[in-house]
Structures are given as C-alpha cells and as structure tokens.
C-alpha cells in the first residue's frame, strides 16, 4: 500500500516514535479505498481508526524478523517533524517457512499487538472487514510468489507527510529503501538482487510506480480493486505472462520496451441549432431523442439537407482539430493522473465507414493495462454528461477560429442561408457501443 508523492535519508525509527509515525500514516491514508472499506464508508471514523490501526501495526512489523520501519524528518524554521514513512517487509525464503505469507505481519502477531481490541473499540464489522482485506492481500501475495518462482522484498507502506509533498521525497524514500535495505540476502548463493513487490489502491500512485521501473502485473478485489506491481532488479530476469486467477483483472506484462498502441472506435452524435428556430439532434432537440433519432456523422454525411451536411463537415473538422484534446483531458483525468502525468497519449483521429477512430499509445511500456483500458471504454460508453457538458464538444464561431477552420465555418454555412454567427453545434462522444479495434485499422 502507498501514498507516494514527492530528500533526505531515511533511518530506522525507534518504537517511542510510533505515535508520531501513526499520525503521519493516518493523515496520508485517510481517504485510501482499503481503509474506507474497513470503516464501512464512515468518513468521521477514519482518522481515529487509522491512528489506532497504525499504533498497533508498527510494533507488529518490528516483530517480523528483518522488518523495517523507516522514517525521515524535517527540521526548519517553519516545519519540524516526520516527513515520510517507509515500511518494508523481508523476503520469504520458501512457501514452507511462512505458510501464511507476509504481505502483512501474520495475524497472530497483529492480534498480540492489539488488534484483538478492534471489535471492542470500533465494532465487530471493522474487524471482519479488516480481516477480509488482509486475507485477500495475503492470498494475492501467495499467488504471486508461486508465479514468480522465488522470494522478493515487499514495500508495504510508503507515504509522505502533507507538508513535505511535492519535493521528490516519495521517490527518494522509495529508492533509498531499494538501494540500502533491499540488498542481497546474507545467505544467498549469489549477489542476485531480488524483485520488489508492492500494491496500491491509488490511481495517482499507479502512475508514480510506472515511472519508477515497476510493472503492473494485475489487479484483485480486496475490499476495493488493488493493483500489484513488480520491479525486477536482475538484468537477466524477464517477466513473462502471468496466469492470473479468474477473479483478477489482467495486467499487460511487457517483455520489450515498446509502448503498445490502441484504437478506440466511437460513433459520435451531432446536434445543432441555427439560432432561428431550426434545430436537430438530442442536445438541441430533445424530442428527436425521444423518437430515436440521434444523428451521427455518417447520417449527416448522407443527408440531403444542406444544413445537416454542412454541420457534419464542421463537426468532423472539429474532431480532427480538438478530439485528441477532449479525450486527453477526460480519460486521463478519469484515470486520476491529470494534469501531472498521463497513461495514454493520443496520436491522431481518423475515420472509418461508420466510426471515428481515436489512435493512442501508452506513455510508458506496460502502463496502459487492462484496467486502464476498461476505465477508458467505460467512460466513453457511460460518460453521460461528462462527454456533452461545458466546452467539451461545443463548436461556435470562436472555437472554429481557435481550432483553425474559421474559413470553412463561413464558407460551408454560407450555402445554407444560416447566419454563421448564430449557429451552435455540439458533438457528443458518449457512445454505448464504443469498442476497441485492431491497431492496424485505417492506419
């Protein structure tokens, strides 16, 4: 788990600092999906529950042989205190040595260090949901250990205090742990650097780990969808396809440094009004939607009405000029990474016989996994007002000018007896039948 965001070296934290560390961890993970689930969607209970949770969790980590609780501190005229926390669990040598796995300290250790009090303090539902999440994570860890065929280091929690974010401290803390803690095992037959495994529920953190050498291998349901990452550190090791359980979402496992390309096929719906009482399309003439008429670009192109064919031409000009920007804004923001970074980079817009084709590529090899593709497709299919409100899809004379087709706006409308200054056009990209097509289509 993590809340990674932007150094100073970390050091082992003494037990008497656990109260301060628990405060920082509770603040960082207050809106974390896994803990929201444990709290039963009760936001008022999150902070006190998390403070108590981490005060019990930190001693349990130290009780694991080789477990590390690291922290960094800031001292200065304005801010003094814990700046970041990193919790690292050691490799498990074999299945037999720790049968229950090590994604979290084992249940008996957690109970010994105070988890038995959870139902007394917060109710039986908290303990039930916490055990459900930890049990699922433990099962996920055991599955990955079998698939990868060997031990690894586990980056358990990583967070930066809110007052210290934005300065690269998350990256520094991650790399410090990898370089100084996750070293070859003393009794290892070679100096092989073991992989690093972690998981996160956070869309923002997923991009952070993609940028720092981690490969997303899949997602599983543990209260909410959690995403598993692996970072290989031995150049001789390659990560091939993983046979994921049916309850997992598939991750794309790259074996080369090539960024994958995808094509999204959408049937846009177009609406327009001429400012003098003439209107068509569901946005400006809702009764047409009631009658089942939602004109697409294809319909307008084949229309015998000069106004409709002119609008279709201008809508296509807008899609070529601005469609990339619209999808870039909406989809990357929906994936939780805009504007700091993007999962996908849209390259161009083309047209087939019935659809508009949006061509895009992933920004980092392997970052655009099946979960991201599902999110994008769902947003197009179920976007609703997300796709036809505000300035997304509006075409006016000023937008035509800013998009580089002011002359076409005037010339095409001049043949229709419509005042170009009054017309409004709306392109709606929400399409319940949107789908992915082969990358070589219409290239």
């Amino acid at each position: 788990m993590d809340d990674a965001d932007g150094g100073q070296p970390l050091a082992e934290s003494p037990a008497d600092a656990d109260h301060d560390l628990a405060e920082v961890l509770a603040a960082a993970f207050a809106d974390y999906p896994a803990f929201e689930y444990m709290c039963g969607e009760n936001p008022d209970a999150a902070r006190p529950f998390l403070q108590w949770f981490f005060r019990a969790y930190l001693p349990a980590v130290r009780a694991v042989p080789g477990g590390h609780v690291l922290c960094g501190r800031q001292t200065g005229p304005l801010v003094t205190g814990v700046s970041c926390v990193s919790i690292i669990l050691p490799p498990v040598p074999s299945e037999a040595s720790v049968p229950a796995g090590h994604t979290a300290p084992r249940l008996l250790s957690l109970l010994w260090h105070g988890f038995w009090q959870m139902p007394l303090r917060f109710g039986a539902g908290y303990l039930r949901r916490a055990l459900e999440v930890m049990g699922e994570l433990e099962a996920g860890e055991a599955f990955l250990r079998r698939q990868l065929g060997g031990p690894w280091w586990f980056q358990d929690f990583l967070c930066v205090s809110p007052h210290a974010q934005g300065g690269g401290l998350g990256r520094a803390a991650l790399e410090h742990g990898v370089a100084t803690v996750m070293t070859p095992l003393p009794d290892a037959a070679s100096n092989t650097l073991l992989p690093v495994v972690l998981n996160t529920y956070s869309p923002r953190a997923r991009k952070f780990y993609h940028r720092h050498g981690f490969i997303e291998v899949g997602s599983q349901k543990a209260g909410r969808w959690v995403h598993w990452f692996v970072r290989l550190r031995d150049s001789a090791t390659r990560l091939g396809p993983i046979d994921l359980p049916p309850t997992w979402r598939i991750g794309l496992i790259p074996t080369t440094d090539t960024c994958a390309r995808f094509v999204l096929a959408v049937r846009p719906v177009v609406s327009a009004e001429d400012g003098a009482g003439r209107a068509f399309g569901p946005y400006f003439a809702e009764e047409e939607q009631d009658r089942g008429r939602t004109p697409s670009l294809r319909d307008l192109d084949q229309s015998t009405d000069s106004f409709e064919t002119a609008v279709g031409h201008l809508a296509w000009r807008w899609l070529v000029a601005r469609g990339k920007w619209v999808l870039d804004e909406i989809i990357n923001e929906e994936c939780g990474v805009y504007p700091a970074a993007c999962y996908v980079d849209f390259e161009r817009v083309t047209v087939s016989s019935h659809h508009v084709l949006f061509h895009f590529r992933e920004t980092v090899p392997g970052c655009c996994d099946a979960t991201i593709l599902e999110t994008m497709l769902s947003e197009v299919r179920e976007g609703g007002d997300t796709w036809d409100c505000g300035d997304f899809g509006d075409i006016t004379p000023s937008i035509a000018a800013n998009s580089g087709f002011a002359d076409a706006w005037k010339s095409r409308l001049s043949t229709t007896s419509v005042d170009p200054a009054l017309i409004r056009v709306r392109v709606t990209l929400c399409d319940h039948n949107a789908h992915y097509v082969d990358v070589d289509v219409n290239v």
Side-chain angles (χ1 to χ4, degrees):
M1 296 183 184
D2 68 285
D3 185 78
D5 192 4
Q8 57 194 139
L10 276 70
E12 293 286 348
S13 177
D16 58 12
D18 282 358
H19 182 275
D20 293 341
L21 269 60
E23 291 289 330
V24 171
L25 287 160
F29 290 96
D31 58 353
Y32 203 61
F35 291 120
E36 287 181 343
Y37 178 77
M38 291 184 195
C39 293
E41 309 295 346
N42 181 4
D44 295 333
R47 192 64 174 267
F49 171 74
L50 287 175
Q51 291 169 341
W52 176 89
F53 177 95
F54 284 112
R55 283 197 292 268
Y57 193 84
L58 292 170
V61 171
R62 291 192 180 89
V64 176
H68 296 270
V69 178
L70 309 174
C71 80
R73 293 182 176 273
Q74 282 188 333
T75 57
L78 298 178
V79 178
T80 299
V82 176
S83 59
C84 62
V85 181
S86 176
I87 298 175
I88 298 172
L89 292 170
V92 175
S94 68
E95 286 287 334
S97 60
V98 185
H102 79 300
T103 295
R106 285 192 290 173
L107 179 59
L108 288 178
S109 178
L110 290 171
L111 292 172
W112 176 262
H113 287 92
F115 269 48
W116 64 271
Q117 301 177 34
M118 190 182 295
L120 303 178
R121 287 174 173 264
F122 301 99
Y126 280 75
L127 181 61
R128 175 182 58 78
R129 290 186 292 269
L131 293 178
E132 176 187 340
V133 170
M134 288 187 287
E136 291 294 337
L137 292 177
E138 190 172 273
E141 179 273 336
F143 163 75
L144 286 178
R145 190 165 66 252
R146 291 193 299 270
Q147 288 289 311
L148 296 179
W152 64 66
W153 290 93
F154 189 78
Q155 178 69 63
D156 193 2
F157 286 93
L158 174 65
C159 76
V160 176
S161 178
H163 69 260
Q165 291 180 3
L169 193 53
R171 173 191 57 76
L174 177 65
E175 296 304 330
H176 174 87
V178 170
T180 65
V181 175
M182 304 179 195
T183 56
L185 300 178
D187 57 350
S190 68
N191 289 326
T192 300
L193 292 171
L194 298 178
V196 180
V197 171
L198 55 83
N199 61 56
T200 181
Y201 289 79
S202 165
R204 182 186 182 192
R206 291 172 72 186
K207 187 61 179 176
F208 172 86
Y209 291 120
H210 283 308
R211 292 199 309 269
H212 291 89
F214 285 83
I215 298 169
E216 186 168 353
V217 296
S219 309
Q220 69 164 143
K221 194 72 173 290
R224 299 288 185 266
W225 282 103
V226 61
H227 311 280
W228 287 90
F229 287 80
V230 175
R231 176 168 164 178
L232 303 175
R233 298 191 294 161
D234 178 3
S235 60
T237 303
R238 301 293 288 175
L239 186 60
I242 291 179
D243 184 17
L244 296 177
T247 55
W248 283 46
R249 289 174 174 171
I250 296 174
L252 301 182
I253 314 301
T255 56
T256 70
D257 294 331
T258 303
C259 290
R261 282 179 162 81
F262 309 91
V263 180
L264 179 63
V266 183
R267 179 183 178 272
V269 172
V270 183
S271 308
E273 65 173 357
D274 65 0
R278 170 81 186 275
F280 68 83
Y283 185 76
F284 295 115
E286 295 293 344
E287 68 277 5
E288 294 198 4
Q289 188 172 21
D290 295 337
R291 295 198 303 267
R293 183 172 188 261
T294 55
S296 67
L297 283 177
R298 176 78 170 177
D299 299 326
L300 297 181
D301 183 58
Q302 296 178 341
S303 174
T304 58
D305 185 285
S306 62
F307 178 53
E308 291 190 351
T309 56
V311 168
H313 173 82
L314 297 172
W316 168 245
R317 291 292 299 268
W318 176 86
L319 279 168
V320 172
R322 303 287 281 171
K324 172 185 182 299
W325 170 75
V326 171
L327 282 164
D328 228 355
E329 292 271 324
I330 293 176
I331 291 181
N332 281 304
E333 185 172 21
E334 180 66 20
C335 293
V337 297
Y338 180 84
C342 298
Y343 284 114
V344 294
D345 178 30
F346 287 86
E347 298 180 312
R348 65 190 184 280
V349 182
T350 59
V351 65
S352 69
S353 58
H354 295 286
H355 295 87
V356 173
L357 304 177
F358 295 92
H359 300 248
F360 60 94
R361 68 193 294 274
E362 56 188 358
T363 56
V364 177
C367 75
C368 194
D369 65 1
T371 303
I372 298 297
L373 293 176
E374 289 172 9
T375 300
M376 290 192 291
L377 189 59
S378 175
E379 184 64 14
V380 177
R381 286 179 170 175
E382 309 297 336
D385 289 342
T386 301
W387 288 85
D388 59 3
C389 65
D391 292 332
F392 294 128
D394 278 335
I395 315 176
T396 62
S398 62
I399 291 176
N402 292 335
S403 301
F405 57 96
D407 292 342
W409 182 271
K410 293 178 181 179
S411 62
R412 291 297 301 223
L413 294 176
S414 66
T415 64
T416 66
S417 301
V418 174
D419 185 348
L422 298 180
I423 184 176
R424 289 196 299 162
V425 178
R426 166 62 60 85
V427 180
T428 301
L429 295 177
C430 179
D431 177 7
H432 297 301
N433 296 309
H435 57 282
Y436 292 108
V437 296
D438 188 83
V439 72
D440 293 325
V441 170
N442 205 42
V443 173

